[in-house]
Amino acid sequence: MIKLDSSPFDVITVGDVFLDIVMTGFPAWPQPGEEAFAQDLFHEAGGGAAITACGLARLGARVGTLAMVGQSDGQWLIERLEQCGVSTSLIHRDANQATGTTVSVSTAQDRSFFTYNGANTSLIGLLGEPATREQLCQASHVHFACPLPPDLLSGLTDLIHAANHTVSIDVGWHPDWLTNKACWKALKKMDLFFPNEREAELMTGERDPEAMLQKLGAAGFRRVALKLGEAGSLAWWDEKLVYCPPYPVSPVDTTGAGDCFNAGVIRGWLDHQPPLRCLRLGNFCGAISTTELGGISAFPTRSQCNELWARET
């Protein structure tokens, strides 16, 4: 691992975390009042902040997660993050709310999610505290994995940049936030922005990925890594378009694949890799993560990524 500087963390991820309860193998979707039985049950740490942190740890980064969990039920999630090599010293417990929980229910054709946000709703208040702001400046890079009020996001970004560190964000599917011009003002300060194709289409009104990125670039966005799913990824990177084809796999579960892509790109960014190599690492991490249930179990190791480079150079 490359030691970036004297900061105690290479990366701090900030955002929502969830206990994911995944039930699969339903023969059909039940109607109201009916009961259906799953063939498999799987528990995993979920949410963008958790999944991206676990991926970065697997890639050798010193990473911590700043998030909120419930006082009485958050221990399992904390222990799971620690098992994955993530520091939980920045995780706070909410005495009034339970840990955020998502139940994923899937058939062979489709899946649905039922989510309780829980303690995650206390994160904004935590980020307003001076001690928390000081902690964020302890990392060489901060990745936000949630929407924040634009003034708060802008102020935190300015603070992190003043410490000569970098910032990225994956907002997720939040239409009102993504189309808010005040939020765009904060987004344009980001060193890296990670939308998927649907989010970028919503923001720009364009259907073609190149047109989406050109429009965001013309609006002042610096670097945008656009996730195209099975089509790979495309980036607007320092006023240039960069395309990377997908890494071929047979997916089992796509949960968290975008967050795993983020981890790969951030790792490449911190290693000062060129944009195409950053995207390639992101595509590889995102694709391999889909070969097992959940967003963490199949994430590739640093040695697997080195093998990828060895095959391609």
Side-chain angles (χ1 to χ4, degrees), residues 67-146:
M68 297 289 299
V69 298
Q71 179 70 42
S72 61
D73 64 352
Q75 190 60 32
W76 185 92
L77 188 55
I78 288 174
E79 291 177 358
R80 177 57 176 149
L81 291 175
E82 290 173 347
Q83 290 171 1
C84 293
V86 177
S87 171
T88 60
S89 62
L90 303 179
I91 290 184
H92 293 248
R93 295 177 184 262
D94 189 325
N96 300 313
Q97 299 189 83
T99 301
T101 301
T102 292
V103 179
S104 173
V105 179
S106 66
T107 66
Q109 290 76 34
D110 207 350
R111 59 181 180 160
S112 294
F113 301 94
F114 302 86
T115 296
Y116 168 71
N117 212 25
N120 291 312
T121 59
S122 300
L123 181 62
I124 290 175
L126 177 65
L127 289 172
E129 297 179 4
T132 305
R133 292 168 176 260
E134 184 176 342
Q135 288 173 329
L136 290 179
C137 292
Q138 296 177 5
S140 298
H141 183 85
V142 175
H143 176 68
F144 292 103
C146 62

Side-chain angles (χ1 to χ4, degrees), residues 136-309:
L136 290 179
C137 292
Q138 296 177 5
S140 298
H141 183 85
V142 175
H143 176 68
F144 292 103
C146 62
L148 294 175
D151 289 345
L152 176 61
L153 178 60
S154 183
L156 291 173
T157 301
D158 289 342
L159 190 69
I160 295 163
H161 281 162
N164 294 317
H165 297 159
T166 53
V167 186
S168 60
I169 191 168
D170 186 337
V171 178
W173 180 250
H174 294 276
D176 290 343
W177 199 98
L178 289 167
T179 55
N180 185 328
K181 294 305 180 182
C183 296
W184 278 45
K185 185 177 179 181
L187 281 176
K188 286 186 278 191
K189 294 184 177 183
M190 298 295 113
D191 298 287
L192 285 166
F193 172 42
F194 293 103
N196 62 28
E197 189 171 6
R198 187 182 178 201
E199 292 157 1
E201 180 181 347
L202 174 71
M203 294 176 71
T204 63
E206 300 289 346
R207 299 293 297 273
D208 176 69
E210 288 193 8
M212 296 174 194
L213 289 182
Q214 288 171 338
K215 196 164 186 176
L216 291 174
F221 286 70
R222 297 173 62 189
R223 299 177 195 90
V224 182
L226 179 62
K227 292 171 276 194
L228 301 176
E230 295 180 353
S233 57
L234 181 70
W236 175 262
W237 201 286
D238 296 333
E239 301 185 352
K240 293 182 180 179
L241 286 169
V242 182
Y243 172 70
C244 184
Y247 186 85
V249 294
S250 297
V252 172
D253 178 18
T254 59
T255 300
D259 299 311
C260 293
F261 169 86
N262 297 347
V265 174
I266 292 169
R267 180 73 259 188
W269 163 266
L270 296 178
D271 285 343
H272 308 292
Q273 297 293 330
L276 181 58
R277 200 168 172 108
C278 291
L279 294 180
R280 185 58 170 160
L281 183 55
N283 287 358
F284 179 66
C285 292
I288 297 299
S289 77
T290 69
T291 59
E292 294 181 21
L293 290 178
I296 295 173
S297 298
F299 194 98
T301 63
R302 186 77 178 204
S303 61
Q304 287 176 292
C305 294
N306 289 338
E307 292 172 3
L308 172 71
W309 301 138

Side-chain angles (χ1 to χ4, degrees), residues 22-46:
V22 182
M23 290 185 282
T24 65
F26 290 94
W29 194 261
Q31 297 300 309
E34 296 180 349
E35 184 175 14
F37 292 89
Q39 298 299 311
D40 290 293
L41 174 68
F42 182 75
H43 292 78
E44 188 54 281

